[in-house]
Amino acid sequence: MKCMKCGHENASGKFCTKCGSPLNANENEVAATVETTQQTVLQGGGQGQSQSNPQLEQAKRISKNYYTYFIDVLKQPLSQTNKVGQNQWVNSLITIALFSLLFPLTLYVSLGDLREWIESPFLNGIIKPFIGFAIFIVLMSAYTFGALKLSKLDVDFKVVLSRFGTLLVPVVVLFLLAFIMSLLDASLFAALLVFGFLIAIFAVPPFVLISFKKENNSGLDIFYSTLIIYLLAFLTIGLIGEFMFSIFLDMIEGIISSSLFDLF
């Protein structure tokens, strides 16, 4: 056994026969060194793994923030909306995306075998309506922004869109319930979809206006601002209704074509 202090080779024993240093201490020092090295490697590996997945950490952080935001808004929609600024921009966009996706997805699931009447069912049943609903919400936010400008209020479009998306949180909950019911073949899903969509048209815009409006403001009255938004909303549905409800249009077209083919 070699002494780590003087290098003398010892046949056996606990102490070096030349310098008297404990031989067991050498083993303990080696073991401690090995353990320290292993811990350093493990810590370095953990740091490397953490650094190699920044997207995952960011996704976790966004998910956690959105969950807190979602629950707070669901408890007090108008109160939380009044506090929303550009800091809730990402959360509002997520809500708008969920709103735009859940409506066509619920209809797509509920159709079942009727999807065979639709040409390119995934494209026309989910993708195109998703784009249509997203455009619709952005335009509704733009109309609300314009109404606020007519009221002589200095507002930012990004904040208006954020507040509009925030007030869609209760609607998203209705759409989630509708989606679950469509999976269970419960007919109530259609009523929830219609009710939620009507809220998005008739309830959200005036409450967004209220969140900005001042009582002593000399601009356009909120009553007329709301009527203008409603009018523009119906015009928009007429213009982009094909994107929003293409799943129904394609299904009806397919059924009519098939019926005419059978007749002739």
Side-chain angles (χ1 to χ4, degrees):
M1 185 179 297
K2 188 175 182 179
C3 177
M4 297 296 294
K5 187 172 183 180
C6 66
H8 178 70
E9 289 288 346
N10 297 273
S12 61
K14 297 182 179 181
F15 299 93
C16 178
T17 57
K18 184 176 181 180
C19 67
S21 300
L23 297 177
N24 288 337
N26 300 329
E27 296 178 357
N28 294 335
E29 290 176 1
V30 173
T33 303
V34 171
E35 183 179 358
T36 303
T37 304
Q38 290 176 344
Q39 291 178 354
T40 303
V41 172
L42 289 175
Q43 291 175 357
Q47 292 176 355
Q49 184 177 5
S50 174
Q51 292 176 357
S52 63
N53 294 302
Q55 295 83 2
L56 180 61
E57 294 299 324
Q58 185 178 10
K60 290 180 180 179
R61 183 171 61 255
I62 292 175
S63 300
K64 184 178 180 180
N65 291 338
Y66 183 73
Y67 175 78
T68 303
Y69 154 88
F70 192 92
I71 297 299
D72 290 341
V73 174
L74 191 59
K75 290 178 180 178
Q76 297 178 317
L78 189 57
S79 176
Q80 293 297 321
T81 299
N82 293 337
K83 304 174 185 177
V84 168
Q86 294 189 13
N87 58 317
Q88 298 293 357
W89 168 250
V90 175
N91 291 330
S92 298
L93 289 182
I94 294 174
T95 305
I96 293 172
L98 289 173
F99 172 91
S100 305
L101 178 62
L102 284 171
F103 194 105
L105 183 62
T106 302
L107 292 179
Y108 183 84
V109 171
S110 66
L111 289 176
D113 295 336
L114 293 176
R115 288 195 293 267
E116 67 183 41
W117 300 109
I118 304 173
E119 182 182 357
S120 302
F122 185 76
L123 174 63
N124 294 322
I126 296 180
I127 301 300
K128 287 174 62 177
F130 170 77
I131 296 173
F133 275 97
I135 293 174
F136 176 74
I137 294 301
V138 172
L139 289 175
M140 288 291 291
S141 301
Y143 302 153
T144 306
F145 173 75
L148 289 166
K149 285 295 186 180
L150 290 176
S151 299
K152 298 181 180 180
L153 291 174
D154 185 18
V155 295
D156 184 87
F157 176 72
K158 200 171 182 179
V159 177
V160 175
L161 183 61
S162 297
R163 294 193 179 188
F164 203 102
T166 298
L167 281 175
L168 289 178
V169 166
V171 180
V172 168
V173 173
L174 291 176
F175 284 1
L176 283 172
L177 292 175
F179 177 72
I180 294 173
M181 289 185 177
S182 68
L183 293 175
L184 300 175
D185 292 327
S187 58
L188 186 60
F189 80 89
L192 291 176
L193 286 181
V194 173
F195 183 56
F197 187 64
L198 292 177
I199 291 176
I201 295 177
F202 295 107
V204 173
F207 280 119
V208 173
L209 292 175
I210 291 172
S211 70
F212 289 100
K213 194 73 173 176
K214 308 295 183 184
E215 291 183 1
N216 58 351
N217 189 266
S218 59
L220 186 66
D221 188 83
I222 190 172
F223 177 80
Y224 297 111
S225 300
T226 303
L227 291 181
I228 291 174
I229 294 173
Y230 289 164
L231 176 62
L232 293 173
F234 285 116
L235 292 175
T236 302
I237 293 175
L239 291 174
I240 65 173
E242 182 178 354
F243 275 90
M244 297 170 63
F245 304 106
S246 59
I247 187 170
F248 280 126
L249 297 176
D250 288 351
M251 183 183 68
I252 293 172
E253 182 180 353
I255 293 174
I256 293 175
S257 300
S258 178
S259 300
L260 292 175
F261 180 78
D262 292 339
L263 288 175
F264 297 100

